[in-house]
Amino acid sequence: MARAKKINTADTRRVAVYVRKSKITESGKSIEIQKEKCIALACAQFDVTETEISIYEDEGKSGFYADRPQYKQMLRDIENNKVRAVVCYKIDRISRRTIDLLNLIQQMDQKGIAFVSVSDRELDTSSRTGKIMIALLSAIAEFERDIIAERITDNMYELAKEGRWLGGECPLGYSSKKEKLTINGRKSTINHLEPVSDEQLIVKRLYKLFLQKGSYNATFTALNNEGFRTKKGRDFTSIAVKNILQNPVYAIADKEMKSYFTSFDVTIWADESAFDGKQGMMAYNKTEQTKEIDQDSRALDPKYTQKSLRRDIKDWIVSVGKHEGIISGEDWIRVQTLMADISKDNAARPKETSKALLSGLVRCIDCGSRMFVRAEGGRYNPDGSVRFRYVCDVKYRKKGTCENSPNVKGYDLDTFVVEQLSNISRDHNLLHDQLFNAEDALQLTMKTTEKEIISLRKRLSQIEQDIQSQISNLRTAPENLKQNIYADVGILNQERDEKQSRLDVAISIRDSQENQIAEIAKMSKVIKELPNILPVVDYEGKLQLLRLILECVLVKGDKVHIFLKGMENSPFFVKGQERSDVCHTEELSILNTTYRIRRKPHALIGFK
């Protein structure tokens, strides 16, 4: 930098050199070159020897996330006042995320720590112009990171076309093998899957057990009892079984598999002839790995939460691999159908014999978890169905600390809730009027939101034009005016970020309002006809109707709290700030009514 801060020679704090390379490779000396140049600059500018320099080195780490091991160690040393200067090769080595870099510079400035970049030494963080330029450079680094990510994704698509194994932990039944190739005189290597015969016997047994038993628990129990273990030598669990069953790598590429993926509009990078019933399938882009900043994260102590989300099958990239498949396409598809049926059942669908109408809709008032149906064998309701109770899943399975949750008498609760919903339309009470006016009120609110979105987009477009205009002015502006232009660009960038943030929020609100309007319209139509429809539909029909209307039902003391879909955020529903999203800490609900059944108080809560 042009004006490095004057260093106190009596200062015993060390000079930090930070170097980073985003990918570990067998060749290349970029880390060594970075260290060499940074150490030379540190010795010359801060009058230190190599023994007074601390090296912080991260290799194979992305600059977008701040939770790099050596970077975090440097931040701890900065916080503990052990560092007097930080030297890096380029600004993007420190961070490719603008806000992280600016926060770090602010923290160092407060502690009197100098910051020097070998490649950008003309910048001075003590001046306003220098800060603006650093912000611009860091924004460019973040943009470059996004471009690199896009290139990696595009490259993955190209490799996927060839059915390659792209790395990572190999699935049970296979190992990874490198194959050396020479293409147009250039040597290259590709990875493909090789069979592991002992492990493939386990996979075949797993699929056979699941098709026989139709249960994850029964399948993993049988596997463990037979002495089989996972690739890491552990007992099988329901999650391990499910992951193997839904992995198409085991399926043979035959006509059935081609038809299956085609029916879901999946992108298939393979010719028709490749589905010859010999090779196995390969699927890419199945999951999305993300990191989100933790709420406890600080500039000098960055924390992230790792998330892995399974993408919709339409977003997969499918091709035919180089390995042999071991499960026929017909059996693999049968397994997927069976898994889909189990998933529907696990969405709290009760056994038909219990005739429970609110299964999956009743929430525990203590912990907010769903309450499931527990039948009482040998005891029957007035309609002849098996008597049952709604029981907190957490309490019953002892998976948490929910100790005070009451078991709720199921038949009485179902009958009472249905009666109250029917009365909304029948009585034309205040709630009825509010419910059927809510859609119009939301439409008016959404128009206001839409006007704000149009205004923000118009202003953002103008800001972009102004920025481009100022950048063009830089080419011809005299030196004494360039600082003013930089300052103006900085102000425009700041306004653009603020307006973009407001636009994102407004779009999110608009989308939420649209969803609410659709939900309320659908629900209102059902409620209006409910008294006429319920007497003539069967049990399955009642289930579907109630799920169109209800968000959840809570039992608290002597009251039932009924939450209707789309209404919680309507103008007629005031949500307490301390209430959780599962609506279980307040008595305020869209329909809050005391138990009154058969014209006398009736206790629905019972403890076993």
Side-chain angles (χ1 to χ4, degrees), residues 88-100:
C88 66
Y89 182 68
K90 285 182 67 177
I91 284 178
D92 62 12
R93 298 300 88 193
I94 289 286
S95 178
R96 283 190 179 274
R97 192 166 181 269
T98 305
I99 190 169
D100 287 342

Side-chain angles (χ1 to χ4, degrees), residues 205-483:
R205 180 60 178 159
L206 186 154
Y207 271 80
K208 184 176 181 180
L209 283 170
F210 184 73
L211 286 171
Q212 289 175 350
K213 299 178 179 296
S215 165
Y216 301 125
N217 290 348
T219 300
F220 79 72
T221 300
L223 286 171
N224 292 334
N225 290 340
E226 292 175 15
F228 294 119
R229 295 296 179 265
T230 66
K231 201 173 187 71
K232 293 184 178 180
R234 300 171 182 169
D235 287 346
F236 278 94
T237 63
S238 59
I239 294 176
V241 168
K242 187 175 182 180
N243 287 339
I244 292 173
L245 291 173
Q246 64 189 8
N247 194 342
V249 73
Y250 302 109
I252 296 172
D254 51 24
K255 294 180 180 179
E256 287 78 10
M257 290 300 294
K258 175 72 163 55
S259 299
Y260 177 80
F261 285 116
T262 300
S263 67
F264 284 101
D265 293 327
V266 178
T267 302
I268 301 176
W269 295 99
D271 295 331
E272 185 79 31
S273 59
F275 291 86
D276 56 5
K278 297 179 181 179
Q279 306 304 111
M281 299 296 304
M282 294 293 287
Y284 311 88
N285 203 42
K286 293 186 297 179
T287 59
E288 181 180 6
Q289 307 293 331
T290 62
K291 278 185 176 183
E292 294 181 1
I293 299 177
D294 193 273
Q295 60 180 2
D296 297 327
S297 181
R298 298 185 297 112
L300 294 179
D301 186 21
K303 296 178 182 178
Y304 294 85
T305 301
Q306 183 80 38
K307 289 189 176 182
S308 180
L309 302 175
R310 187 172 179 84
R311 289 190 171 99
D312 188 274
I313 190 172
K314 293 180 180 180
D315 298 323
W316 292 10
I317 301 168
V318 171
S319 67
V320 176
K322 304 295 183 183
H323 66 286
E324 292 184 3
I326 57 175
I327 305 296
S328 70
E330 182 181 357
D331 283 346
W332 191 85
I333 295 168
R334 283 176 60 203
V335 165
Q336 308 315 302
T337 304
L338 183 55
M339 291 173 71
D341 291 340
I342 292 174
S343 179
K344 291 178 182 178
D345 291 339
N346 286 344
R349 178 177 290 274
K351 294 181 179 179
E352 187 173 356
T353 53
S354 70
K355 301 294 183 182
L357 295 176
L358 301 177
S359 179
L361 297 173
V362 184
R363 294 275 191 163
C364 172
I365 196 66
D366 191 35
C367 69
S369 301
R370 294 183 186 276
M371 300 181 77
F372 71 97
V373 176
R374 188 179 184 190
E376 300 178 359
R379 307 181 72 182
Y380 300 92
N381 295 312
D383 65 350
S385 61
V386 176
R387 190 179 296 183
F388 64 94
R389 293 176 185 266
Y390 290 112
V391 182
C392 173
D393 183 61
V394 171
K395 179 182 178 182
Y396 180 72
R397 301 182 187 277
K398 298 180 180 180
K399 297 188 294 185
T401 58
C402 182
E403 299 176 354
N404 302 316
S405 173
N407 297 342
V408 181
K409 293 181 180 179
Y411 178 79
D412 290 345
L413 181 61
D414 286 2
T415 304
F416 184 70
V417 170
V418 169
E419 180 182 324
Q420 297 302 315
L421 292 174
S422 298
N423 288 341
I424 294 177
S425 179
R426 187 181 292 132
D427 296 343
H428 291 274
N429 54 22
L430 176 62
L431 177 60
H432 173 275
D433 296 335
Q434 291 178 339
L435 177 61
F436 288 97
N437 289 332
E439 185 176 355
D440 291 338
L442 279 170
Q443 289 281 8
L444 292 174
T445 305
M446 194 172 73
K447 285 182 180 179
T448 302
T449 306
E450 192 64 48
K451 287 180 180 178
E452 182 182 6
I453 291 173
I454 293 172
S455 176
L456 287 169
R457 282 175 172 164
K458 185 176 180 181
R459 178 55 187 155
L460 279 169
S461 176
Q462 184 60 51
I463 291 173
E464 289 293 343
Q465 293 179 18
D466 292 345
I467 290 175
Q468 293 301 319
S469 177
Q470 290 291 52
I471 291 174
S472 298
N473 291 338
L474 277 174
R475 300 190 182 98
T476 57
E479 289 297 325
N480 62 333
L481 292 181
K482 284 187 176 181
Q483 287 192 2

Side-chain angles (χ1 to χ4, degrees), residues 509-528:
I509 292 173
R510 191 266 315 275
D511 293 344
S512 176
Q513 290 167 342
E514 286 181 343
N515 291 334
Q516 281 180 254
I517 290 170
E519 289 283 4
I520 291 174
K522 186 193 303 180
M523 178 187 61
S524 300
K525 184 177 180 180
V526 174
I527 287 180
K528 186 176 181 180

Side-chain angles (χ1 to χ4, degrees), residues 23 54 112 200 385 397-398 438 453 459 548 567 590-591:
K23 185 179 179 182
S54 295
Q200 289 194 346
S385 61
R397 301 182 187 277
K398 298 180 180 180
I453 291 173
R459 178 55 187 155
L548 287 173
M567 291 296 292
I590 205 66
L591 183 56

Side-chain angles (χ1 to χ4, degrees), residues 41-53:
L41 177 61
C43 291
Q45 188 154 331
F46 300 110
D47 193 25
V48 294
T49 63
E50 288 193 31
T51 58
E52 298 173 281
I53 297 174

Side-chain angles (χ1 to χ4, degrees), residues 16 116 174 199 436:
V116 181
Y174 296 97
E199 293 182 2
F436 288 97

Side-chain angles (χ1 to χ4, degrees), residues 349 526 538-549:
R349 178 177 290 274
V526 174
D538 59 8
Y539 168 65
E540 287 291 333
K542 290 183 175 70
L543 284 178
Q544 295 177 18
L545 286 172
L546 291 177
R547 277 152 182 75
L548 287 173
I549 299 171

